[in-house]
Amino acid sequence: MSILAAGIGFCLISTIVFVWGHHLQTHHLQHIMQTKQANDLSATTSPVNRTVPAAISIVIIILPLVLYSQLGRFTEWDKGVIDEQIDYLIAADINKNARKVNEQPNNEIALLTLAQSYAEGGLYAQSIATLNDLLAITGDDAQTLGMKATAMYYRDKRAMSIETRLVLARALALDEFEFQSQLLIATDAYLNKDYEKAITHWQLLLRSQSQGFSRAAINNAILKTEQKIANRSVTASE
């Protein structure tokens, strides 16, 4: 982090030096032109107007500080909440969303956003805990339960535990076509080579009224899986 900070500081200083150098050079050239036009080599040099370069220098310093405060603080990356292996943009996003939840602990959107950013960073245990906080406020919600089941599945290294199955059952009892839940069941079935089951749950998604996912991608997955079934049948018959 110190190398990155030093690099940023060097770029800022270089830019400010360039701005001041350019301004002073321009002032000097303007003075020479004025002196020649007046044909007076003994003319007194006019004072340098430092307002413009000073204003530019202030903006150059303040703007990165404002962006830095919005994107995240480097000193917070080693608090134990953020995994050091996470992409720095995801880590900054988690820090920003965590601060929002700390400020507004009952903000449902903030909690949902934080849970999603934890999942994107592979911090599934933290995502589950945040979703539990959200469920405590909203009560059972199919989409939130589907997200929780998915986070539990990947937390357990793609193992479908009894606990995860119970959460899935709660989600599907509320909404038979809940996207995360159906997709998770299909994914697990596919990974375990239960292709018929995977296709069944993908087809359930296609029957839903939701427009929040790519139907073309689901259809493509079904076609490829059907081809696997056909190839397996041919191999078994030989």
Side-chain angles (χ1 to χ4, degrees), residues 71-120:
L71 293 176
R73 302 182 181 90
F74 291 138
T75 55
E76 295 178 355
W77 287 23
D78 57 351
K79 299 294 185 181
V81 176
I82 307 303
D83 182 16
E84 293 181 354
Q85 301 303 317
I86 297 176
D87 181 273
Y88 75 97
L89 290 177
I90 297 178
D93 194 44
I94 292 173
N95 282 330
K96 180 184 69 175
N97 294 330
R99 289 197 298 272
K100 184 68 176 292
V101 169
N102 287 334
E103 294 167 1
Q104 303 177 34
N106 293 321
N107 187 321
E108 296 174 16
I109 296 177
L111 285 165
L112 181 62
T113 303
L114 177 60
Q116 290 173 331
S117 60
Y118 274 139
E120 289 174 2

Side-chain angles (χ1 to χ4, degrees), residues 1 3 107 139 153 163 165-166 169 218-219 221 236:
M1 298 302 176
I3 296 176
N107 187 321
Y153 178 78
E163 184 185 8
R165 293 181 190 277
L166 290 173
I218 298 296
N219 276 316

Side-chain angles (χ1 to χ4, degrees), residues 177 179 182 199-211 213-220 222:
F177 301 107
F179 176 74
Q182 292 292 356
I199 291 173
T200 297
H201 287 276
W202 282 326
Q203 288 174 337
L204 273 173
L205 283 177
L206 293 177
R207 296 213 315 264
S208 73
Q209 301 300 315
S210 174
Q211 300 298 321
F213 62 92
S214 172
R215 293 176 179 273
I218 298 296
N219 276 316
N220 188 48
I222 291 174

Side-chain angles (χ1 to χ4, degrees), residues 5-160:
I8 293 173
F10 176 77
C11 291
L12 291 176
I13 293 172
S14 299
T15 303
I16 292 172
V17 169
F18 173 79
V19 169
W20 277 95
H22 178 73
H23 179 75
L24 293 173
Q25 184 180 32
T26 301
H27 175 78
H28 179 66
L29 292 175
Q30 288 176 344
H31 173 68
I32 293 175
M33 294 295 293
Q34 291 172 357
T35 301
K36 288 183 177 180
Q37 289 175 357
N39 196 24
D40 184 7
L41 296 177
S42 63
T44 303
T45 302
S46 59
V48 178
N49 183 2
R50 295 181 172 85
T51 303
V52 174
I56 294 175
S57 300
I58 292 172
V59 171
I60 290 173
I61 293 173
I62 292 178
L63 184 59
L65 291 176
V66 172
L67 292 174
Y68 179 74
S69 66
Q70 294 298 316
L71 293 176
R73 302 182 181 90
F74 291 138
T75 55
E76 295 178 355
W77 287 23
D78 57 351
K79 299 294 185 181
V81 176
I82 307 303
D83 182 16
E84 293 181 354
Q85 301 303 317
I86 297 176
D87 181 273
Y88 75 97
L89 290 177
I90 297 178
D93 194 44
I94 292 173
N95 282 330
K96 180 184 69 175
N97 294 330
R99 289 197 298 272
K100 184 68 176 292
V101 169
N102 287 334
E103 294 167 1
Q104 303 177 34
N106 293 321
N107 187 321
E108 296 174 16
I109 296 177
L111 285 165
L112 181 62
T113 303
L114 177 60
Q116 290 173 331
S117 60
Y118 274 139
E120 289 174 2
L123 301 176
Y124 299 113
Q126 291 89 331
S127 180
I128 294 165
T130 305
L131 290 170
N132 284 335
D133 291 340
L134 178 58
L135 288 166
I137 297 172
T138 63
D140 276 3
D141 173 78
Q143 181 180 2
T144 305
L145 289 169
M147 290 179 60
K148 179 181 175 180
T150 301
M152 294 168 67
Y153 178 78
Y154 287 104
R155 177 201 62 186
D156 298 337
K157 310 298 182 184
R158 295 187 177 182
M160 187 67 76

